[in-house]
mmCIF file of all heavy atoms in Angstrom:
data_model
loop_
_atom_site.group_PDB
_atom_site.id
_atom_site.type_symbol
_atom_site.label_atom_id
_atom_site.label_comp_id
_atom_site.label_asym_id
_atom_site.label_seq_id
_atom_site.Cartn_x
_atom_site.Cartn_y
_atom_site.Cartn_z
ATOM 1 N N ARG W 1 0.843 -1.187 0.000
ATOM 2 C CA ARG W 1 0.000 0.000 0.000
ATOM 3 C C ARG W 1 0.883 1.243 0.000
ATOM 4 O O ARG W 1 2.066 1.192 0.347
ATOM 5 C CB ARG W 1 -0.921 0.021 1.216
ATOM 6 C CG ARG W 1 -0.209 0.258 2.533
ATOM 7 C CD ARG W 1 -1.160 0.179 3.707
ATOM 8 N NE ARG W 1 -0.509 0.595 4.950
ATOM 9 C CZ ARG W 1 -1.059 0.506 6.152
ATOM 10 N NH1 ARG W 1 -2.278 0.010 6.271
ATOM 11 N NH2 ARG W 1 -0.402 0.919 7.224
ATOM 12 N N ALA W 2 0.280 2.334 -0.410
ATOM 13 C CA ALA W 2 0.950 3.634 -0.348
ATOM 14 C C ALA W 2 0.244 4.497 0.683
ATOM 15 O O ALA W 2 -0.976 4.375 0.893
ATOM 16 C CB ALA W 2 0.917 4.312 -1.709
ATOM 17 N N VAL W 3 1.017 5.367 1.327
ATOM 18 C CA VAL W 3 0.452 6.369 2.225
ATOM 19 C C VAL W 3 0.498 7.703 1.492
ATOM 20 O O VAL W 3 1.569 8.142 1.047
ATOM 21 C CB VAL W 3 1.253 6.468 3.539
ATOM 22 C CG1 VAL W 3 0.635 7.531 4.445
ATOM 23 C CG2 VAL W 3 1.295 5.122 4.248
ATOM 24 N N VAL W 4 -0.667 8.330 1.337
ATOM 25 C CA VAL W 4 -0.739 9.628 0.660
ATOM 26 C C VAL W 4 -1.399 10.630 1.603
ATOM 27 O O VAL W 4 -2.144 10.245 2.516
ATOM 28 C CB VAL W 4 -1.532 9.551 -0.662
ATOM 29 C CG1 VAL W 4 -0.894 8.557 -1.619
ATOM 30 C CG2 VAL W 4 -2.999 9.190 -0.416
ATOM 31 N N VAL W 5 -1.128 11.902 1.384
ATOM 32 C CA VAL W 5 -1.825 12.943 2.129
ATOM 33 C C VAL W 5 -2.499 13.856 1.129
ATOM 34 O O VAL W 5 -1.866 14.360 0.191
ATOM 35 C CB VAL W 5 -0.871 13.730 3.059
ATOM 36 C CG1 VAL W 5 0.243 14.406 2.282
ATOM 37 C CG2 VAL W 5 -1.653 14.766 3.878
ATOM 38 N N LEU W 6 -3.818 14.012 1.261
ATOM 39 C CA LEU W 6 -4.556 14.916 0.390
ATOM 40 C C LEU W 6 -4.125 16.341 0.704
ATOM 41 O O LEU W 6 -3.829 16.672 1.845
ATOM 42 C CB LEU W 6 -6.059 14.765 0.619
ATOM 43 C CG LEU W 6 -6.788 13.617 -0.101
ATOM 44 C CD1 LEU W 6 -6.236 12.256 0.304
ATOM 45 C CD2 LEU W 6 -8.287 13.674 0.178
ATOM 46 N N HIS W 7 -4.117 17.187 -0.303
ATOM 47 C CA HIS W 7 -3.709 18.572 -0.075
ATOM 48 C C HIS W 7 -4.799 19.368 0.624
ATOM 49 O O HIS W 7 -4.503 20.245 1.445
ATOM 50 C CB HIS W 7 -3.342 19.230 -1.409
ATOM 51 C CG HIS W 7 -2.089 18.653 -2.016
ATOM 52 N ND1 HIS W 7 -1.533 19.141 -3.167
ATOM 53 C CD2 HIS W 7 -1.281 17.624 -1.620
ATOM 54 C CE1 HIS W 7 -0.432 18.437 -3.458
ATOM 55 N NE2 HIS W 7 -0.282 17.510 -2.537
ATOM 56 N N GLU W 8 -6.060 19.091 0.328
ATOM 57 C CA GLU W 8 -7.166 19.804 0.964
ATOM 58 C C GLU W 8 -8.425 18.943 0.868
ATOM 59 O O GLU W 8 -8.897 18.679 -0.247
ATOM 60 C CB GLU W 8 -7.401 21.146 0.281
ATOM 61 C CG GLU W 8 -8.441 22.012 0.971
ATOM 62 C CD GLU W 8 -8.081 22.321 2.418
ATOM 63 O OE1 GLU W 8 -6.903 22.605 2.713
ATOM 64 O OE2 GLU W 8 -8.996 22.266 3.257
ATOM 65 N N PRO W 9 -8.936 18.483 1.999
ATOM 66 C CA PRO W 9 -8.418 18.656 3.362
ATOM 67 C C PRO W 9 -7.154 17.810 3.571
ATOM 68 O O PRO W 9 -6.999 16.764 2.917
ATOM 69 C CB PRO W 9 -9.568 18.159 4.236
ATOM 70 C CG PRO W 9 -10.276 17.147 3.386
ATOM 71 C CD PRO W 9 -10.191 17.679 1.992
ATOM 72 N N PRO W 10 -6.248 18.234 4.468
ATOM 73 C CA PRO W 10 -4.963 17.545 4.618
ATOM 74 C C PRO W 10 -5.082 16.277 5.451
ATOM 75 O O PRO W 10 -4.683 16.228 6.618
ATOM 76 C CB PRO W 10 -4.101 18.601 5.315
ATOM 77 C CG PRO W 10 -5.070 19.390 6.123
ATOM 78 C CD PRO W 10 -6.341 19.435 5.319
ATOM 79 N N VAL W 11 -5.668 15.227 4.861
ATOM 80 C CA VAL W 11 -5.850 13.966 5.571
ATOM 81 C C VAL W 11 -5.018 12.878 4.901
ATOM 82 O O VAL W 11 -4.775 12.915 3.689
ATOM 83 C CB VAL W 11 -7.332 13.547 5.605
ATOM 84 C CG1 VAL W 11 -8.157 14.598 6.309
ATOM 85 C CG2 VAL W 11 -7.875 13.303 4.210
ATOM 86 N N ARG W 12 -4.591 11.923 5.704
ATOM 87 C CA ARG W 12 -3.809 10.797 5.185
ATOM 88 C C ARG W 12 -4.733 9.660 4.798
ATOM 89 O O ARG W 12 -5.782 9.453 5.411
ATOM 90 C CB ARG W 12 -2.806 10.314 6.238
ATOM 91 C CG ARG W 12 -1.765 11.355 6.568
ATOM 92 C CD ARG W 12 -0.696 10.790 7.467
ATOM 93 N NE ARG W 12 0.247 11.835 7.823
ATOM 94 C CZ ARG W 12 1.492 11.623 8.208
ATOM 95 N NH1 ARG W 12 1.940 10.382 8.302
ATOM 96 N NH2 ARG W 12 2.285 12.621 8.512
ATOM 97 N N ALA W 13 -4.318 8.923 3.790
ATOM 98 C CA ALA W 13 -5.106 7.794 3.324
ATOM 99 C C ALA W 13 -4.174 6.729 2.775
ATOM 100 O O ALA W 13 -3.013 7.003 2.444
ATOM 101 C CB ALA W 13 -6.096 8.242 2.241
ATOM 102 N N HIS W 14 -4.688 5.512 2.682
ATOM 103 C CA HIS W 14 -3.959 4.413 2.065
ATOM 104 C C HIS W 14 -4.589 4.106 0.714
ATOM 105 O O HIS W 14 -5.804 4.235 0.525
ATOM 106 C CB HIS W 14 -4.023 3.157 2.944
ATOM 107 C CG HIS W 14 -3.375 3.331 4.278
ATOM 108 N ND1 HIS W 14 -3.895 2.819 5.440
ATOM 109 C CD2 HIS W 14 -2.255 3.993 4.637
ATOM 110 C CE1 HIS W 14 -3.107 3.132 6.456
ATOM 111 N NE2 HIS W 14 -2.117 3.852 5.985
ATOM 112 N N CYS W 15 -3.756 3.696 -0.235
ATOM 113 C CA CYS W 15 -4.269 3.294 -1.542
ATOM 114 C C CYS W 15 -3.283 2.322 -2.177
ATOM 115 O O CYS W 15 -2.216 2.031 -1.609
ATOM 116 C CB CYS W 15 -4.495 4.512 -2.442
ATOM 117 S SG CYS W 15 -2.995 5.405 -2.881
ATOM 118 N N SER W 16 -3.608 1.843 -3.344
ATOM 119 C CA SER W 16 -2.712 0.939 -4.065
ATOM 120 C C SER W 16 -1.416 1.666 -4.423
ATOM 121 O O SER W 16 -1.443 2.824 -4.846
ATOM 122 C CB SER W 16 -3.392 0.446 -5.340
ATOM 123 O OG SER W 16 -2.444 -0.185 -6.183
ATOM 124 N N PRO W 17 -0.264 0.976 -4.272
ATOM 125 C CA PRO W 17 1.004 1.639 -4.587
ATOM 126 C C PRO W 17 1.414 1.531 -6.046
ATOM 127 O O PRO W 17 2.419 2.125 -6.449
ATOM 128 C CB PRO W 17 1.992 0.871 -3.704
ATOM 129 C CG PRO W 17 1.448 -0.521 -3.677
ATOM 130 C CD PRO W 17 -0.064 -0.361 -3.676
ATOM 131 N N THR W 18 0.653 0.785 -6.828
ATOM 132 C CA THR W 18 1.057 0.506 -8.204
ATOM 133 C C THR W 18 1.263 1.797 -9.001
ATOM 134 O O THR W 18 0.359 2.638 -9.097
ATOM 135 C CB THR W 18 0.002 -0.363 -8.914
ATOM 136 O OG1 THR W 18 -0.207 -1.550 -8.150
ATOM 137 C CG2 THR W 18 0.465 -0.739 -10.312
ATOM 138 N N GLY W 19 2.468 1.966 -9.536
ATOM 139 C CA GLY W 19 2.781 3.111 -10.374
ATOM 140 C C GLY W 19 3.093 4.390 -9.620
ATOM 141 O O GLY W 19 3.366 5.417 -10.250
ATOM 142 N N LEU W 20 3.081 4.360 -8.290
ATOM 143 C CA LEU W 20 3.337 5.557 -7.503
ATOM 144 C C LEU W 20 4.790 5.597 -7.026
ATOM 145 O O LEU W 20 5.419 4.561 -6.829
ATOM 146 C CB LEU W 20 2.405 5.620 -6.284
ATOM 147 C CG LEU W 20 0.897 5.576 -6.554
ATOM 148 C CD1 LEU W 20 0.123 5.751 -5.266
ATOM 149 C CD2 LEU W 20 0.491 6.630 -7.579
ATOM 150 N N THR W 21 5.313 6.797 -6.827
ATOM 151 C CA THR W 21 6.664 6.970 -6.294
ATOM 152 C C THR W 21 6.624 7.951 -5.139
ATOM 153 O O THR W 21 5.850 8.919 -5.163
ATOM 154 C CB THR W 21 7.641 7.490 -7.366
ATOM 155 O OG1 THR W 21 7.145 8.733 -7.881
ATOM 156 C CG2 THR W 21 7.788 6.499 -8.507
ATOM 157 N N GLU W 22 7.436 7.696 -4.129
ATOM 158 C CA GLU W 22 7.468 8.563 -2.959
ATOM 159 C C GLU W 22 7.872 9.984 -3.351
ATOM 160 O O GLU W 22 8.765 10.192 -4.173
ATOM 161 C CB GLU W 22 8.448 8.013 -1.919
ATOM 162 C CG GLU W 22 7.946 6.746 -1.255
ATOM 163 C CD GLU W 22 8.882 6.278 -0.141
ATOM 164 O OE1 GLU W 22 9.995 6.824 -0.037
ATOM 165 O OE2 GLU W 22 8.500 5.361 0.616
ATOM 166 N N GLY W 23 7.180 10.961 -2.756
ATOM 167 C CA GLY W 23 7.492 12.358 -3.004
ATOM 168 C C GLY W 23 6.776 12.954 -4.197
ATOM 169 O O GLY W 23 6.829 14.166 -4.401
ATOM 170 N N SER W 24 6.082 12.125 -4.986
ATOM 171 C CA SER W 24 5.393 12.646 -6.162
ATOM 172 C C SER W 24 4.010 13.167 -5.786
ATOM 173 O O SER W 24 3.427 12.775 -4.773
ATOM 174 C CB SER W 24 5.247 11.558 -7.223
ATOM 175 O OG SER W 24 4.470 10.470 -6.723
ATOM 176 N N VAL W 25 3.491 14.074 -6.595
ATOM 177 C CA VAL W 25 2.138 14.586 -6.429
ATOM 178 C C VAL W 25 1.249 13.892 -7.436
ATOM 179 O O VAL W 25 1.543 13.887 -8.640
ATOM 180 C CB VAL W 25 2.087 16.118 -6.612
ATOM 181 C CG1 VAL W 25 0.653 16.625 -6.529
ATOM 182 C CG2 VAL W 25 2.951 16.808 -5.556
ATOM 183 N N VAL W 26 0.180 13.258 -6.951
ATOM 184 C CA VAL W 26 -0.710 12.474 -7.804
ATOM 185 C C VAL W 26 -2.140 12.942 -7.587
ATOM 186 O O VAL W 26 -2.419 13.796 -6.741
ATOM 187 C CB VAL W 26 -0.587 10.970 -7.474
ATOM 188 C CG1 VAL W 26 0.827 10.472 -7.735
ATOM 189 C CG2 VAL W 26 -0.996 10.688 -6.031
ATOM 190 N N THR W 27 -3.048 12.366 -8.355
ATOM 191 C CA THR W 27 -4.476 12.607 -8.177
ATOM 192 C C THR W 27 -5.117 11.330 -7.668
ATOM 193 O O THR W 27 -4.843 10.239 -8.168
ATOM 194 C CB THR W 27 -5.132 13.017 -9.506
ATOM 195 O OG1 THR W 27 -4.498 14.213 -9.989
ATOM 196 C CG2 THR W 27 -6.614 13.283 -9.316
ATOM 197 N N VAL W 28 -5.952 11.466 -6.622
ATOM 198 C CA VAL W 28 -6.681 10.306 -6.110
ATOM 199 C C VAL W 28 -8.171 10.607 -6.156
ATOM 200 O O VAL W 28 -8.591 11.767 -6.121
ATOM 201 C CB VAL W 28 -6.254 9.944 -4.675
ATOM 202 C CG1 VAL W 28 -4.784 9.550 -4.629
ATOM 203 C CG2 VAL W 28 -6.547 11.079 -3.702
ATOM 204 N N ARG W 29 -8.946 9.543 -6.265
ATOM 205 C CA ARG W 29 -10.409 9.679 -6.286
ATOM 206 C C ARG W 29 -10.977 9.099 -4.992
ATOM 207 O O ARG W 29 -10.547 8.035 -4.531
ATOM 208 C CB ARG W 29 -11.002 8.942 -7.477
ATOM 209 C CG ARG W 29 -12.538 9.011 -7.549
ATOM 210 C CD ARG W 29 -13.092 8.250 -8.732
ATOM 211 N NE ARG W 29 -12.700 8.896 -9.977
ATOM 212 C CZ ARG W 29 -11.854 8.362 -10.872
ATOM 213 N NH1 ARG W 29 -11.293 7.184 -10.634
ATOM 214 N NH2 ARG W 29 -11.556 9.010 -11.987
ATOM 215 N N LEU W 30 -11.933 9.817 -4.401
ATOM 216 C CA LEU W 30 -12.598 9.336 -3.198
ATOM 217 C C LEU W 30 -13.647 8.299 -3.578
ATOM 218 O O LEU W 30 -14.569 8.586 -4.340
ATOM 219 C CB LEU W 30 -13.261 10.507 -2.465
ATOM 220 C CG LEU W 30 -14.018 10.158 -1.183
ATOM 221 C CD1 LEU W 30 -13.057 9.640 -0.108
ATOM 222 C CD2 LEU W 30 -14.792 11.373 -0.675
ATOM 223 N N LEU W 31 -13.484 7.093 -3.035
ATOM 224 C CA LEU W 31 -14.428 6.014 -3.314
ATOM 225 C C LEU W 31 -15.569 5.986 -2.308
ATOM 226 O O LEU W 31 -16.717 5.741 -2.660
ATOM 227 C CB LEU W 31 -13.711 4.669 -3.311
ATOM 228 C CG LEU W 31 -12.622 4.474 -4.369
ATOM 229 C CD1 LEU W 31 -11.973 3.105 -4.209
ATOM 230 C CD2 LEU W 31 -13.197 4.637 -5.771
#
């Protein structure tokens, strides 16, 4: 799993790590 922090609101979440790299800014969708 990956640990990400949303920019707004600044909450942490877990998601699939596939294709992600630490320190990168990505887009996530709320399920």
Side-chain angles (χ1 to χ4, degrees):
R1 70 184 188 187
V3 180
V4 301
V5 60
L6 277 61
H7 292 184
E8 186 59 42
V11 300
R12 296 187 183 203
H14 297 140
C15 65
S16 167
T18 304
L20 303 184
T21 58
E22 289 185 349
S24 61
V25 176
V26 298
T27 301
V28 297
R29 179 181 293 112
L30 179 65
L31 298 178

